[in-house]
Amino acid sequence: MTSSDSAAQTPAKAPAKDPWDLPDVSGLVVGVLGGTGPQGKGLAYRLARAGQKVIIGSRAAERARAAAEEIGHGVEGADNAECARRSDLVIVAVPWDGHGKTLESLREELAGKLVVDCVNPLGFDKKGAYAIKPEEGSAAEQAAALLPDSRVTAAFHHLSAALLQDPQIEEIDTDVMVLGEERADVEAVQALAGRIPGMRGIFAGRLRNAHQVESLVANLISVNRRYKAHAGLRVTDV
């Protein structure tokens, strides 16, 4: 066999996938558990303002409906279970101290869903904010352990709730670090982040790397206090 014959029989290598070739997620219904808190409400507002269908959840349906009316842009409110059932993708933005109990109670409703955990396990003392390391390694890994039938990712940790909720701000100048086990799930979350003007979703590794991403919020709180700012992150050269 000649070298030319051998080359002819070798299949051509498929070109590498463009990492910025992201799916269209505009038709997904996005649920936000903890949607009445500052972070959840801010994310709901930004996504709905970008044209996404958003449902916010709370332990009390009436509280969720009142917050949804305040946000506007077609946002609906429901109790957490209904929010989870009706959504294709669910963002977890509950306080850390209620994280485990909330997710455990919604295991059935969240089965088969793409779950995005943005919870930061933090403590506070007179020296300021500090990171807490959960037994599972991170809030996202705790979510994955509690939701074995869900596809868990981690993202939206480093966003300023004040900026998200400010209607005078047109663009949120920041990158969102997205972590997860399946490329398709990570890319869906990246695409969702990119729906918000000024924002990009950047792949940042698997869930085992979530702890340092969650922990970095303690550093950003220190930055914000010193400089009276609402600091975010930008990843260079990508």
Side-chain angles (χ1 to χ4, degrees):
M1 180 182 294
T2 67
S3 59
S4 59
D5 291 336
S6 176
Q9 291 180 14
T10 303
K13 189 175 180 181
K17 186 179 185 299
D18 180 353
W20 296 111
D21 180 15
L22 301 174
D24 179 6
V25 296
S26 59
L28 295 182
V29 177
V30 176
V32 184
L33 302 179
T36 59
Q39 194 81 354
K41 191 184 288 186
L43 279 168
Y45 169 65
R46 286 291 160 180
L47 290 168
R49 181 169 157 171
Q52 207 76 35
K53 174 61 186 171
V54 178
I55 303 169
I56 60 172
S58 175
R59 284 177 297 178
E62 282 303 317
R63 188 178 173 202
R65 284 193 278 268
E69 188 174 343
E70 182 184 335
I71 295 168
H73 296 279
V75 174
E76 294 183 41
D79 63 47
N80 281 331
E82 183 183 347
C83 172
R85 276 194 301 268
R86 292 178 56 196
S87 302
D88 303 306
L89 179 154
V90 178
I91 298 172
V92 181
V94 299
W96 165 240
D97 58 7
H99 182 263
K101 190 176 290 186
T102 299
L103 295 184
E104 198 170 18
S105 71
L106 296 171
R107 181 177 295 173
E108 184 178 334
E109 290 83 357
L110 290 171
K113 309 283 184 178
L114 176 52
V115 174
V116 187
D117 200 296
C118 72
V119 175
N120 303 304
L122 297 176
F124 295 86
D125 60 20
K126 32 175 123 164
K127 293 183 179 180
Y130 60 92
I132 297 170
K133 190 161 189 178
E135 183 180 342
E136 298 84 355
S138 64
E141 288 168 296
Q142 183 183 87
L146 292 172
L147 304 173
D149 299 318
S150 303
R151 291 135 49 216
V152 176
T153 61
F156 301 115
H157 301 91
H158 306 135
L159 306 179
S160 161
L163 296 184
L164 289 174
Q165 293 186 77
D166 189 341
Q168 302 303 314
I169 294 175
E170 297 293 329
E171 297 189 357
I172 305 296
D173 180 24
T174 194
D175 287 332
V176 170
M177 301 179 82
V178 184
L179 303 98
E181 299 303 316
E182 299 296 333
R183 181 163 185 164
D185 295 338
V186 169
E187 289 182 345
V189 180
Q190 287 181 261
L192 185 67
R195 298 268 291 152
I196 299 173
M199 198 177 286
R200 292 188 309 173
I202 304 286
F203 171 64
R206 294 179 178 267
L207 287 186
R208 68 181 183 180
N209 294 321
H211 172 64
Q212 57 263 39
V213 173
E214 296 168 0
S215 300
L216 190 56
V217 174
N219 302 90
L220 289 176
I221 290 171
S222 298
V223 170
N224 289 337
R225 286 182 173 173
R226 174 63 61 91
Y227 298 101
K228 310 294 186 228
H230 300 291
L233 295 178
R234 277 293 187 200
V235 179
T236 61
D237 201 32
V238 293

